[in-house]
Structure formats: structure tokens, C-alpha cells
Amino acid sequence: MALLKVKFNQKKRVKLAQGLWLMNWFSVFAGILVFSMGLFLKIELRKRSEVMDNSESHFVPNSLILMGILSCAFNGFAGKICYDSLDPAKFAKWKPLLKPYLALCFFFNILIFFVALICFLMRGSLDSTLAQGLKNGMKFYRDTDTPGRCFMKKTIDMLQIEFKCCGNNGFKDWFEIQWISNRYLDFSSKEVKDRIKSNVDGRYLVDGVPFSCCNPSSPRPCIQYQVTNNSAHYSYDYQTEELNLWRRGCREALLHYYSSMMSSMGAVVLLVWLFEMSVMVGLRLLHTSLESIANPEDPECESEGWILENSLKDTLKSALESLKKIGKFNQVEADGEGAEGEEGGKTPAITTVS
């Protein structure tokens, strides 16, 4: 029994073709939207590529851009088919292409669904990319005189100001690295010498943070040096008082920013996928209703359209049988080639008569 069998007369077929033509052009605009989202996300990721460890995060925007282009191409082609289906003479040239085209549409919709899922599932990969990238970026913060790294100080400062964050996981991350360049250290000073000697790696570590970690909304002037030293500041308790530094780490801030963006894009792509599925179903009904016309010379006659010619169970069974036959055929061919190789490898015995 056919799946989702529907009876059509000429009026219904015309309405279906016109509706599908309109839906396909809506899908073209949806493809442009998906393409634009991918382009926007790619630009946003490129803005902060210096604090990302690898290029895996660009998989999502690249996929969105590709899906947008394919969506425009597929739906533009389908719109032409639907328009020509109103004229039997024009539709005849598309008939042989419809089945392969529908198969391609099926796989394309699987890809769209996969990309939508990836938008929701990239959080873990993005988290590790940001954690390592920010860690490396903070190490290069002091290298303002090193070619290729001289921009890192500005990048980190602008990032902390824009996203109201400090450090990788928090402001204490700055205590573990030397973020002040040796160029600005007085090595004749006893304090500088003592700090460098007290560190195993010979680094100048302080319990301070860059100015960009300061919260301008705080009523108190920013305490960015000797943050953990209560006696260095009047009426100050490091343990209890709310610091006038950003408490949130930049990894968390960027992760929230990009994750919420990709989740929103994933929801849009899911809606596009549902719309594309409905267009594919409609196109299949149009295809089968036009093919099942009993008398092609009488366009007024009724016909039947369906999604699958047989039930879903029977269709899956026949597909599995076809795959088994292909597998057996390939095995027979391989065995035949092996036998020929063995026969060719045999060397005839030569008898010498004296």
C-alpha cells in the first residue's frame, strides 16, 4: 500500500505546482539567510582568531555558507520544475531528472539537519579552543616589541573591556604569568630582583591585573595592583569586599556569546530544514501525480500521488535486498578476479628429453 496516497484532479495539481513554486522561492530566501548567518559567524570568529587555538571552530560557519549556497541552487531549480509542470510539453524534459533530483534533495535535507545539530553541539569543542587560545594569548600579552605578537596586548585589552571579563577563568589567572614586559622593569630595584629570584622560572609575577580588568561602574578607584594585600589599601578586605575587577573569565564570556549565537542559528536552520522537508514532500506528490496520469492527452483526468509507492516497511525491505544483491555481485566479481590471478600465476612445467 502506498504511503500518503492523495487523489488529484487538474485543479489540485495546478494549485500544488503554484504553491510549490512560491515555497521554493521562499526557500531561496531562507538559503540566503543561512548563507548570511554563516558569513556573519565567520567574521565574528575571525575577529578573535588570535585567542582561539585552532580553526575547527570555523566548521560551523563554513557549513552554513555551503548549505545556504546549495539551498539557493536546489530550490531555484525546483522552482523552475514546478513552473514548467503546468505545461505538459515543458514538463516532459524534466521527467527523467526528477527521481535523481529528489534523491539529492533527501541527502541535502539530511545534511541540513546534521548542520543544525552541530550548531547546538559545538560548545564543548569551542570551550577547549577558547581555553587554550586565551591561555596562549595572555602569555604573549607582554610581547609588545616582538613581531607577530605586538598586537596581542591591544587584542586582550579590547576583549576584556568589550566582554567585561578578566583573565581566562578569572582575574587570578594574571597572577600566574608575567604580563609586564622586561622593558618596563627596573632591574636595579631590589623589589624586582627579589620577585624574579623568588620564582623558579625567573619570571616577574605580581598579584596585579591589566587596567582593562577594572570595572568602571565601581565607585572605588580601581585596585589593580597588590590585589591580595589588605594592608596596601585603606579600608580594604580582599576576602570579603567585592572587588572592582571583572569577576567573570573571558573564556566563559566568549563561550556564552558564541554558544547563544550558534544556538539561535541552529534553531533557524531547523526551521529551514522543516520547510525544506515540506517542499520535498510536495514535490514528490507533484511528481507521482503527474506520472500516474492514465491518459496524458487528457489533462483533465484524475491521478494519484504518493510519497512512497509501497509502505515504509516494504520500501526498507526492498532497499536492503538491493544492497545485499550489490554486495553479492561485488563478492562474485572479486572471487572471479582472484581465480583468474591464480591461473595466470601458474607456470607450466617443461620436460627435457635427453
Side-chain angles (χ1 to χ4, degrees), residues 5-23:
K5 187 185 283 189
V6 183
K7 284 192 175 183
F8 288 92
N9 53 30
Q10 189 193 21
K11 190 178 178 181
K12 282 185 178 179
R13 285 194 296 270
V14 169
K15 280 186 176 179
L16 178 61
Q18 289 174 339
L20 284 171
W21 178 82
L22 192 62
M23 287 175 74

Side-chain angles (χ1 to χ4, degrees), residues 46-101:
R46 278 192 178 278
K47 279 181 185 177
R48 298 166 189 96
S49 57
E50 294 91 354
V51 293
M52 292 187 178
D53 187 43
N54 54 48
S55 58
E56 285 179 14
S57 52
H58 287 271
F59 177 74
V60 172
N62 291 341
S63 300
L64 289 171
I65 289 168
L66 178 63
M67 289 300 105
I69 293 169
L70 289 176
S71 179
C72 291
F74 273 98
N75 288 292
F77 183 70
K80 175 65 175 169
I81 292 173
C82 294
Y83 183 79
D84 286 350
S85 67
L86 298 171
D87 185 347
K90 288 182 179 179
F91 182 70
K93 67 180 180 182
W94 298 116
K95 262 191 176 182
L97 299 173
L98 267 173
K99 274 191 177 177
Y101 173 75

Side-chain angles (χ1 to χ4, degrees), residues 47-338:
K47 279 181 185 177
R48 298 166 189 96
S49 57
E50 294 91 354
V51 293
M52 292 187 178
D53 187 43
N54 54 48
S55 58
E56 285 179 14
S57 52
H58 287 271
F59 177 74
V60 172
N62 291 341
S63 300
L64 289 171
I65 289 168
L66 178 63
M67 289 300 105
I69 293 169
L70 289 176
S71 179
C72 291
F74 273 98
N75 288 292
F77 183 70
K80 175 65 175 169
I81 292 173
C82 294
Y83 183 79
D84 286 350
S85 67
L86 298 171
D87 185 347
K90 288 182 179 179
F91 182 70
K93 67 180 180 182
W94 298 116
K95 262 191 176 182
L97 299 173
L98 267 173
K99 274 191 177 177
Y101 173 75
L102 284 165
L104 283 173
C105 282
F106 178 74
F107 288 111
F108 172 65
N109 282 315
I110 290 173
L111 282 174
I112 290 180
F113 185 72
F114 174 72
V115 170
L117 287 181
I118 290 295
C119 287
F120 293 107
L121 300 175
M122 274 297 287
R123 184 183 174 89
S125 174
L126 191 62
D127 189 11
S128 58
T129 297
L130 285 169
Q132 191 58 43
L134 282 164
K135 187 178 179 181
N136 293 335
M138 288 171 65
K139 282 180 184 176
F140 303 143
Y141 182 88
R142 64 174 178 161
D143 297 341
T144 50
D145 299 325
T146 307
R149 296 178 187 170
C150 54
F151 59 86
M152 191 56 75
K153 179 183 181 299
K154 182 182 176 182
T155 301
I156 296 290
D157 282 333
M158 293 304 294
L159 177 72
Q160 293 188 146
I161 291 168
E162 183 182 352
F163 286 90
K164 299 179 179 179
C165 59
C166 185
N168 191 343
N169 299 305
F171 67 89
K172 288 184 180 179
D173 293 336
W174 289 108
F175 300 173
E176 299 169 7
I177 62 168
Q178 181 181 335
W179 54 272
I180 301 172
S181 173
N182 288 339
R183 183 182 177 182
Y184 304 107
L185 293 176
D186 180 9
F187 286 95
S188 62
S189 167
K190 185 178 181 299
E191 184 195 345
V192 173
K193 286 179 181 177
D194 289 344
R195 280 193 179 275
I196 292 172
K197 284 179 183 177
S198 65
N199 185 264
V200 178
D201 299 323
R203 294 178 297 168
Y204 182 76
L205 303 182
V206 293
D207 57 342
V209 296
F211 77 96
S212 52
C213 282
C214 296
N215 180 358
S217 301
S218 173
R220 180 170 188 157
C222 185
I223 297 174
Q224 65 180 104
Y225 293 107
Q226 296 183 320
V227 176
T228 58
N229 186 357
N230 291 336
S231 60
H233 311 285
Y234 175 73
S235 185
Y236 176 76
D237 188 349
Y238 165 69
Q239 298 293 337
T240 59
E241 188 172 337
E242 186 178 348
L243 299 177
N244 49 9
L245 305 175
W246 301 120
R247 288 191 169 273
R248 187 169 65 160
C250 290
R251 180 182 61 83
E252 183 190 341
L254 283 171
L255 187 63
H256 175 74
Y257 175 71
Y258 285 119
S259 295
S260 58
M261 188 188 295
M262 285 196 283
S263 296
S264 302
M265 289 179 179
V268 172
V269 175
L270 272 179
L271 289 173
V272 172
W273 172 73
L274 288 170
F275 196 73
E276 291 282 358
M277 286 294 290
S278 63
V279 170
M280 186 181 72
V281 168
L283 194 59
R284 175 61 176 166
L285 287 171
L286 180 65
H287 168 225
T288 50
S289 67
L290 288 167
E291 276 200 334
S292 64
I293 293 175
N295 184 10
E297 294 179 2
D298 180 18
E300 299 286 340
C301 67
E302 288 191 347
S303 63
E304 289 183 341
W306 57 81
I307 305 299
L308 296 173
E309 197 169 355
N310 301 311
S311 65
L312 185 62
K313 186 180 177 181
D314 292 339
T315 304
L316 289 172
K317 193 184 287 185
S318 62
L320 286 170
E321 285 174 3
S322 299
L323 288 172
K324 283 179 183 177
K325 283 179 184 177
I326 291 167
K328 284 179 182 178
F329 178 73
N330 289 337
Q331 190 175 355
V332 169
E333 274 195 341
D335 291 343
E337 285 174 6

